[in-house]
Amino acid sequence: QKEVEQNSGPLSVPEGAIASLNCTYSDRGSQSFFWYRQYSGKSPELIMFIYSNGDKEDGRFTAQLNKASQYVSLLIRDSQPSDSATYLCAVHRQGSGYSTLTFGKGTMLLVSP
Amino acid sequence: GAVVSQHPSRVICKSGTSVKIECRSLDFQATTMFWYRQFPKQSLMLMATSNEGSKATYEQGVEKDKFLINHASLTLSTLTVTSAHPEDSSFYICSAHRGAPPYEQYFGPGTRLTVT
């Protein structure tokens, strides 16, 4: 059973703080890692992806990947109330004739003004 | 990013009727599309993977005769909920990827189905 684990939260942070969202995965063959944001009643929106160990920055967002520890995280700097949403971690594996994207259950982030 | 559309955005139907939901990739060709279902306050559940020109692959527990999937072209996949019942009421979301690394999936806006 290939699993992606996330703390369900809610993670509460004050406006302006750094929010740190974490995800672990069980499949060592996973190749690409994604973070999606989902507002209540809406569909998921891709924030960023990462496939190499280390950090990847995009604006206020930084994704971090550690394949040895099977760990991926998302940092949100200068958190805003509009960042309040559920953040989904997703892990991709591609093989001969198949492509699977496994989602975690998501972490709810609440940013208070 | 890429654009995926869904139609309709909301539908209300009577129990026993069938409902068709369309998913289109607007600015790229999608060899593979995915159909998800999400109940309130629950996580995404993959229902099936739709491959252009071939039969869909259904996840365990999803009835293929009830949820008919047709992926007739590289930009269109349809999901038909047959003989809908109130327990089928849910948020149905499709997604698609370009078929090339890193295989990121782009989601449609979703269809909220209510069966009365």
Side-chain angles (χ1 to χ4, degrees):
Chain A
Q1 180 85 12
K2 297 177 175 57
E3 294 182 349
V4 177
E5 301 286 342
Q6 293 182 258
N7 188 317
S8 61
L11 172 65
S12 296
V13 300
E15 183 175 359
I18 295 175
S20 177
L21 302 158
N22 305 314
C23 172
T24 58
Y25 59 96
S26 61
D27 183 8
R28 285 196 172 274
S30 301
Q31 296 150 320
S32 304
F33 307 86
F34 305 88
W35 283 99
Y36 287 84
R37 176 174 62 197
Q38 186 175 24
Y39 292 111
S40 180
K42 303 294 185 182
S43 66
E45 170 192 12
L46 180 65
I47 298 174
M48 61 190 305
F49 63 86
I50 186 169
Y51 47 83
S52 299
N53 276 328
D55 295 0
K56 179 181 178 182
E57 187 175 317
D58 184 359
R60 294 188 296 116
F61 300 98
T62 299
Q64 299 175 318
L65 174 62
N66 184 325
K67 290 187 178 180
S69 300
Q70 295 175 241
Y71 177 90
V72 58
S73 65
L74 179 70
L75 301 178
I76 306 175
R77 289 181 299 281
D78 189 22
S79 296
Q80 301 296 310
S82 58
D83 294 326
S84 298
T86 295
Y87 289 80
L88 303 171
C89 171
V91 173
H92 178 265
R93 179 170 184 159
Q94 178 83 5
S96 176
Y98 73 90
S99 171
T100 64
L101 186 66
T102 304
F103 282 87
K105 294 184 184 299
T107 297
M108 181 182 291
L109 173 66
L110 298 175
V111 182
S112 54
Chain B
V3 181
V4 176
S5 70
Q6 266 184 259
H7 178 80
S9 57
R10 289 180 179 273
V11 58
I12 301 173
C13 71
K14 292 189 175 181
S15 187
T17 61
S18 295
V19 173
K20 180 185 284 188
I21 303 170
E22 291 188 348
C23 178
R24 293 181 185 274
S25 57
L26 298 184
D27 55 355
F28 67 102
Q29 293 186 326
T31 54
T32 305
M33 290 183 169
F34 305 85
W35 287 96
Y36 295 84
R37 180 168 55 181
Q38 188 174 37
F39 293 105
K41 299 191 185 302
Q42 294 191 21
S43 57
L44 283 174
M45 188 192 82
L46 178 65
M47 299 175 66
T49 302
S50 167
N51 297 293
E52 187 267 336
S54 65
K55 290 184 178 180
T57 302
Y58 290 82
E59 295 299 302
Q60 191 172 8
V62 178
E63 300 175 57
K64 63 180 181 180
D65 294 330
K66 180 169 182 63
F67 298 99
L68 301 178
I69 292 173
N70 184 8
H71 193 157
S73 76
L74 286 172
T75 59
L76 173 63
S77 177
T78 60
L79 168 68
T80 301
V81 182
T82 62
S83 186
H85 291 283
E87 57 266 30
D88 297 323
S89 299
S90 188
F91 191 41
Y92 292 85
I93 315 172
C94 73
S95 70
H97 69 58
R98 301 174 188 270
Y103 300 100
E104 71 274 29
Q105 288 187 21
Y106 295 95
F107 284 85
T111 297
R112 192 161 302 282
L113 171 64
T114 303
V115 185
T116 61

